[in-house]
């Protein structure tokens, strides 16, 4: 049996850059193109190469995980423990928010009803507010200094590498001059909103002594797909007077991770995030479970990595704390009933995960990988989607507001009503101009929701690197082929192409389940009124339509077509388009149904603004469910169509992958003969 990995991890605290072999000096190395600061890739290159994983990691959490790993690979410095970060970034800000509610002062303001009368309200103490602002500034400054120092370390490595390529000794004085010359760019690279970093699309190539555009020859251009074209379109708006505009140093973090991976020989990224555990330390046991078809849950739990173990322990600790908090009945808005709803929300995602992975595809993807993909969907892709949707919806709302103003200017009666009663005028606008409202819902459904969420789920899959799906595995054997369609060969027990395809599907569905689980929690406990009946009805309604995992499974067909079947025409656009079509259509139907329901209430005068009580909230919830029933049935039809499409395409692809395995086995047999 082939050994899965043979690399030896460095000792604790040892920079990987000192133990990995540095690139040897060669003619190609001496002619390596240099960008500003000596980097071998441009700061503008984020999302320019669709095959690169590091760019996805630089966006998630503003690149915190990416910069931590780059710093560890370069210097051996580990980030603070997880509990320290939770305390610093969540605990202390939560204490400040609590303090703002307790330490208040009286302030006299004018009433919002337009009567001109004054009223006394309580506002947070200015001292607490300013303390919180100072604390946030200190956190930002701390992260900025760390990133700036990391970039300085990279510049030192780049200068040393260039000196070695030229056969020269490193002159400390020249090194200091080199760092001082790049100090300004180093400072601007990690500003929260850097509008003054000069972009290096045009740069001076030291090897040939001329200006080159886009950093590469025409015949060396990387593959382009929907992602790169979309990013090129957006990035043109970030060019201002020859400068590259970025947010929170994301572009710089991506550039630094690309450079560190090259300098340390970690292009294949064979270590985990957060814990920096090499895959070789735990993959042997996972490989053994797959080879011997061991189904024991305890054995699979024992074989997981340190990262997966910490994720499970922290989630379990949070659940225990929440259970105790609910049982103590401290907060009337979160009782043991709400805790049961929370557990049911998690259980719905875990049950689907159990069916997809443990019941059907246990040996196609390890339990360790499933934990990582699910956690990525829950903790990383959801915040990224929320931020992106907020930005896009803000732009869409601003455009809709301008259109609404133009419509009101052309409708004198509506303009007069708006001056006398703005709320009534908005209701009249909804009834009088349905086409504009439906167009707005279309943009929300397809651009804000479907496009953003399907892209971040795809990137969530791309940013997780697990040994199960790394390229360069041993060749498949007949033991892995189904239905006895291949003869026995040399007895090697490697994963087949068909099994790898199933593993990709499980991985993408796991990311989607993590994303859907977090989204369901927000809909149940944040967006819904604080009523147990409303929470349960919301959970049931969202559980009936597993759109996110279905769209991820549809995406996996395109990913397998590109990565396993070698069809390079399947770029990001063709991969996510069917999923966007299904997701957007499902959301659009529900949004339009909600609009017509509200418009009918306005026409009937039933949209009163009376203060809601628990009784009429429950009645309204039941009525809303009945009104939404036709839309839910139509949504179910869309889900059924999507599922049928996936089954047909998946079966056809499975046959193609089996044919590839059979061809490989026969080729292996002929070579043995």
């Amino acid at each position: 049996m082939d050994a899965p990995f043979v690399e030896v991890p460095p000792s604790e605290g040892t920079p990987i850059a000192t133990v990995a072999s540095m690139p040897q000096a060669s003619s190609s190395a001496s002619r390596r193109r240099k960008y500003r600061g000596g980097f071998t890739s441009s700061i503008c290159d984020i999302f320019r190469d669709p095959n690169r994983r590091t760019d996805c990691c630089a966006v998630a959490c503003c690149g915190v995980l990416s910069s931590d790993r780059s710093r560890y690979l370069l210097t051996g410095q580990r980030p603070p423990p997880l509990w320290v970060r939770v305390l610093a970034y969540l605990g202390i800000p939560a204490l400040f928010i609590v303090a703002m509610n307790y330490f208040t002062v009286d302030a006299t303001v004018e009433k919002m009803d337009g009567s001109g009368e004054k009223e006394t309200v309580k506002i947070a103490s200015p001292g607490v507010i300013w303390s919180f602002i100072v604390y946030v500034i200190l956190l930002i400054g701390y992260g900025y200094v760390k990133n700036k120092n990391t970039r300085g370390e990279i510049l030192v490595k780049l200068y040393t590498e260039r000196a070695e390529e030229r056969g020269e000794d490193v002159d400390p004085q020249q090194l200091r001059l080199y760092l001082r010359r790049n100090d300004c760019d180093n400072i601007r690279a990690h500003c929260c909103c850097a509008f003054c970093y000069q972009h290096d699309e045009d740069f001076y190539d030291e090897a040939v002594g001329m200006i080159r555009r886009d950093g590469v020859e025409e015949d060396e251009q990387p593959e382009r797909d929907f992602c790169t074209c979309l990013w090129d379109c957006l990035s043109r708006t970030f060019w201002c007077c020859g400068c590259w505009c970025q947010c929170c140093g994301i572009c710089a973090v991506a550039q630094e991770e690309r450079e560190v991976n090259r300098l340390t020989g970690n292009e294949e990224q064979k270590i985990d995030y957060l814990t920096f555990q090499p895959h070789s330390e735990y993959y042997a046991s996972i490989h053994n479970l797959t080879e011997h078809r061991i189904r024991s849950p305890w054995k699979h739990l024992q074989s997981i990595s340190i990262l997966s173990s910490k994720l499970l322990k922290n989630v379990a600790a949070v659940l225990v704390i929440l259970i105790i908090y609910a049982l103590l009945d401290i907060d009337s808005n979160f009782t043991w009933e709400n805790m049961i709803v929370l557990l049911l929300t998690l259980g719905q995602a875990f049950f689907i995960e159990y069916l997809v992975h443990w019941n059907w595809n246990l040996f196609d993807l390890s339990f360790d990988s499933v934990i990582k993909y699910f956690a990525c969907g829950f903790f990383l892709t959801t915040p990224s989607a929320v931020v992106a949707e907020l930005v896009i919806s803000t732009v869409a709302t601003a455009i809709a507001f301008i259109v609404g103003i133009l419509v009101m200017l052309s409708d004198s009666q509506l303009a007069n009503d708006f001056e006398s009663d703005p709320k009534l005028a908005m209701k009249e606008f909804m009834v009088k101009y349905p086409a504009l409202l439906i167009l707005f819902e279309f943009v929300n459904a397809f651009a804000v929701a479907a496009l953003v969420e399907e892209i971040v789920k795809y990137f969530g899959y791309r940013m997780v690197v697990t040994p199960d799906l790394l390229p360069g595995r041993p060749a498949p054997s007949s033991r892995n082929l189904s239905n006895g369609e291949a003869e026995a060969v040399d007895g090697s027990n490697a994963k087949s192409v068909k099994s790898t395809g199933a593993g990709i599907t499980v991985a993408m569905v796991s990311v989607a389940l993590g994303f859907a689980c977090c989204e369901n929690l927000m809909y149940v406990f944040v967006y819904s009124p604080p009523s147990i009946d409303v929470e349960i009805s919301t959970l049931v309604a969202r559980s009936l339509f597993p759109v996110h995992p279905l769209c991820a499974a549809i995406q996996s067909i395109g990913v397998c077509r590109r990565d396993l079947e070698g069809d390079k025409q399947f770029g990001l656009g063709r991969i996510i388009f069917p999923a966007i079509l299904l997701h957007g259509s499902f959301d659009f139907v529900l949004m339009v149904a909600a609009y017509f329901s509200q418009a009918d209430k306005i026409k009937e005068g039933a949209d009163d603004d009376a203060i809601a009580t628990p009784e009429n909230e429950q009645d309204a919830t039941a009525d809303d469910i009945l009104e939404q029933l036709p839309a839910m049935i139509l949504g179910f039809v869309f889900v059924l169509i999507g599922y049928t499409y996936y089954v047909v395409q998946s079966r056809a692809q499975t046959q193609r992958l089996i044919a590839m395995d059979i061809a490989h086995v026969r080729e292996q047999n002929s070579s043995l003969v």
Side-chain angles (χ1 to χ4, degrees):
M1 183 177 65
D2 295 332
F5 286 95
V6 295
E7 60 189 53
V8 179
S11 59
E12 179 72 20
T14 303
I16 292 186
T18 63
V19 298
S21 57
M22 296 291 290
Q24 299 295 322
S26 62
S27 59
S28 61
S30 62
R31 292 180 59 84
R32 185 181 296 119
R33 297 181 176 90
K34 301 294 192 297
Y35 293 80
R36 297 179 64 84
F39 285 85
T40 57
S41 66
S42 169
I43 198 172
C44 315
D45 275 351
I46 187 170
F47 294 128
R48 290 285 169 79
D49 186 353
N51 298 318
R52 203 161 48 208
R53 297 176 180 266
T54 54
D55 296 342
C56 309
C57 307
V59 174
C61 297
C62 295
V64 172
L65 302 181
S66 180
S67 59
D68 283 345
R69 188 165 70 167
S70 297
R71 193 175 301 111
Y72 172 76
L73 289 171
L74 198 66
T75 66
Q77 178 185 353
R78 289 182 175 272
L82 182 61
W83 69 269
V84 174
R85 284 194 160 170
V86 171
L87 178 64
Y89 294 100
L90 295 178
I92 296 179
L95 290 177
F96 272 111
I97 294 174
V98 172
M100 290 179 190
N101 291 327
Y102 279 95
F103 299 97
T104 60
V105 295
D106 294 334
T108 303
V109 296
E110 187 174 328
K111 288 185 176 181
M112 299 295 294
D113 56 6
S115 61
E117 298 179 0
K118 303 288 184 178
E119 63 177 346
T120 302
V121 297
K122 292 185 178 297
I123 61 174
S125 171
V128 177
I129 295 176
W130 280 108
S131 299
F132 180 62
I133 294 174
V134 170
Y135 178 76
V136 172
I137 293 175
L138 288 176
L139 283 181
I140 295 174
Y142 173 74
Y144 168 76
V145 171
K146 289 184 67 176
N147 289 333
K148 179 177 177 295
N149 292 338
T150 301
R151 195 172 182 88
E153 292 286 346
I154 295 174
L155 292 176
V156 172
K157 293 290 184 183
L158 290 174
Y159 183 88
T160 304
E161 179 189 49
R162 184 167 59 177
E164 291 176 353
E165 289 174 354
R166 295 176 176 176
E168 303 172 353
D169 294 331
V170 177
D171 185 350
Q173 184 176 359
Q174 292 296 325
L175 176 59
R176 285 193 296 271
L177 291 174
Y178 170 76
L179 294 176
R180 191 177 304 150
R181 187 168 63 248
N182 292 281
D183 192 55
C184 185
D185 286 337
N186 195 6
I187 292 173
R188 292 180 294 189
H190 285 286
C191 291
C192 290
C193 294
F195 297 96
C196 51
Y197 192 97
Q198 184 176 352
H199 74 78
D200 45 13
E201 287 293 286
D202 295 333
F203 72 100
Y204 186 77
D205 191 336
E206 295 179 343
V208 297
M210 63 180 293
I211 296 291
R212 295 183 182 272
R213 178 169 288 277
D214 294 329
V216 289
E217 300 270 0
E218 184 176 352
D219 58 349
E220 295 176 348
Q221 291 284 350
E223 300 174 15
R224 297 178 62 83
D225 65 357
F226 174 77
C227 178
T228 54
C229 295
L230 178 63
W231 178 252
D232 278 344
C233 179
L234 292 176
S235 63
R236 300 298 173 182
T237 64
F238 299 157
W239 290 3
C240 179
C241 302
C243 294
W244 177 257
C245 305
Q246 56 173 330
C247 179
C248 300
I250 289 174
C251 300
V253 169
Q255 181 191 35
E256 291 159 10
E257 186 169 17
R258 294 193 296 268
E259 204 65 40
V260 169
N261 287 336
R262 184 189 67 82
L263 288 170
T264 60
N266 188 53
E267 276 103 346
E268 293 185 359
Q269 299 175 289
K270 293 184 179 180
I271 65 171
D272 289 334
Y273 282 99
L274 291 175
T275 60
F276 313 121
Q277 183 184 17
H279 295 167
S280 58
E281 288 188 3
Y282 62 88
Y283 184 63
S285 59
I286 294 175
H287 189 73
N288 181 65
L289 293 174
T290 303
E291 288 300 312
H292 295 90
R293 296 296 191 265
I294 300 174
R295 299 189 65 91
S296 169
W298 178 246
K299 293 289 186 182
H300 283 268
L301 190 61
Q302 285 181 315
S303 66
I304 63 177
S305 62
I306 296 176
L307 175 58
S308 296
S309 177
K310 288 188 173 183
L311 287 171
L312 291 180
K313 290 178 181 177
N314 282 278
V315 170
V318 171
L319 289 177
V320 169
I321 293 173
L322 289 176
I323 291 174
I324 296 174
Y325 184 81
L327 292 177
L328 292 176
D329 200 16
I330 299 174
D331 187 354
S332 59
N333 291 324
F334 191 80
T335 62
W336 64 271
E337 295 176 336
N338 303 105
M339 186 66 209
I340 292 177
V341 175
L342 188 148
L343 293 176
L344 289 175
T345 306
L346 297 176
Q348 182 259 353
F350 294 160
F351 177 71
I352 298 178
E353 190 72 76
Y354 165 79
L355 293 178
V356 173
H357 174 244
W358 194 273
N359 198 44
W360 298 331
N361 301 283
L362 177 58
F363 302 111
D364 297 319
L365 190 71
S366 67
F367 179 57
D368 174 79
S369 298
V370 168
I371 295 173
K372 293 173 181 174
Y373 281 112
F374 188 93
C376 177
F378 191 97
F379 296 110
L380 299 183
T381 61
T382 307
S384 301
V386 169
V387 173
E389 288 177 347
L390 179 63
V391 173
I392 297 177
S393 63
T394 301
V395 175
T397 303
I399 296 175
F401 181 75
I402 295 174
V403 172
I405 292 177
L406 295 177
V407 170
M408 286 190 178
L409 291 176
S410 62
D411 191 332
S412 58
Q413 180 181 355
L414 189 61
N416 294 332
D417 293 341
F418 187 81
E419 292 180 0
S420 59
D421 191 344
K423 184 179 294 186
L424 179 61
M426 292 303 299
K427 294 178 181 180
E428 292 178 0
F429 183 87
M430 287 184 62
V431 175
K432 197 172 183 179
Y433 298 97
L436 292 178
L437 272 299
I438 293 176
L439 178 61
F440 182 72
E441 299 294 3
F442 180 86
V443 173
N444 272 334
F446 283 91
V448 178
L451 177 63
V452 171
E453 292 177 6
E454 295 309 318
I455 286 180
V456 298
K457 285 189 295 184
Y458 171 82
F459 284 161
Y461 159 74
R462 289 288 295 169
M463 75 174 69
V464 178
V465 181
T466 61
D468 304 65
L469 300 178
L470 278 177
R473 291 182 307 276
S477 68
S478 59
R479 182 175 186 271
N480 299 93
L481 300 181
S482 61
N483 303 324
E485 294 178 342
E487 301 87 17
V489 288
D490 60 351
S492 62
N493 297 321
K495 184 180 292 187
S496 65
V497 180
K498 173 179 173 292
S499 178
T500 303
I504 291 174
T505 301
V506 174
M508 300 191 74
V509 169
S510 298
V511 174
L513 284 171
F515 178 89
C517 183
C518 186
E519 187 181 58
N520 287 345
L521 288 174
M522 290 191 296
Y523 271 94
V524 170
F525 293 102
V526 179
Y527 302 147
S528 299
S531 168
I532 189 67
D533 294 331
V534 176
E535 292 175 357
I536 293 176
S537 61
T538 302
L539 174 60
V540 171
R542 295 188 64 82
S543 300
L544 290 175
F545 305 105
V547 176
H548 285 300
L550 178 57
C551 289
I554 293 174
Q555 282 192 35
S556 70
I557 295 174
V559 173
C560 293
R561 187 78 176 267
R562 180 194 63 192
D563 296 345
L564 300 183
E565 299 184 55
D567 190 346
K568 299 303 180 183
Q569 293 182 349
F570 267 78
L572 177 61
R574 294 188 66 178
I575 289 173
I576 68 175
F577 177 74
I580 291 176
L581 191 60
L582 171 61
H583 191 165
S585 300
F586 178 82
D587 287 351
F588 181 64
V589 167
L590 296 182
M591 291 178 180
V592 170
Y595 161 72
F596 280 114
S597 175
Q598 185 65 24
D600 290 339
K601 289 181 180 180
I602 293 174
K603 293 177 182 178
E604 297 171 0
D607 61 317
D608 58 83
D609 300 321
I611 299 176
T613 63
E615 290 77 11
N616 59 35
E617 274 188 3
Q618 295 176 8
D619 295 338
T621 301
D623 294 340
D624 289 342
I625 292 176
L626 290 176
E627 291 175 358
Q628 294 290 326
L629 188 59
M632 295 175 68
I633 294 175
L634 187 56
F636 177 76
V637 171
F638 277 111
V639 172
L640 188 61
I641 293 173
Y643 179 75
T644 304
Y645 171 83
Y646 167 72
V647 170
V648 172
Q649 294 294 324
S650 178
R651 288 180 177 177
Q653 186 172 72
T654 299
Q655 295 302 316
R656 294 194 299 269
L657 298 182
I658 290 175
M660 292 174 61
D661 285 327
I662 294 174
H664 187 90
V665 169
R666 288 175 177 171
E667 181 183 351
Q668 203 172 34
N669 277 333
S670 62
S671 63
L672 289 175
V673 173

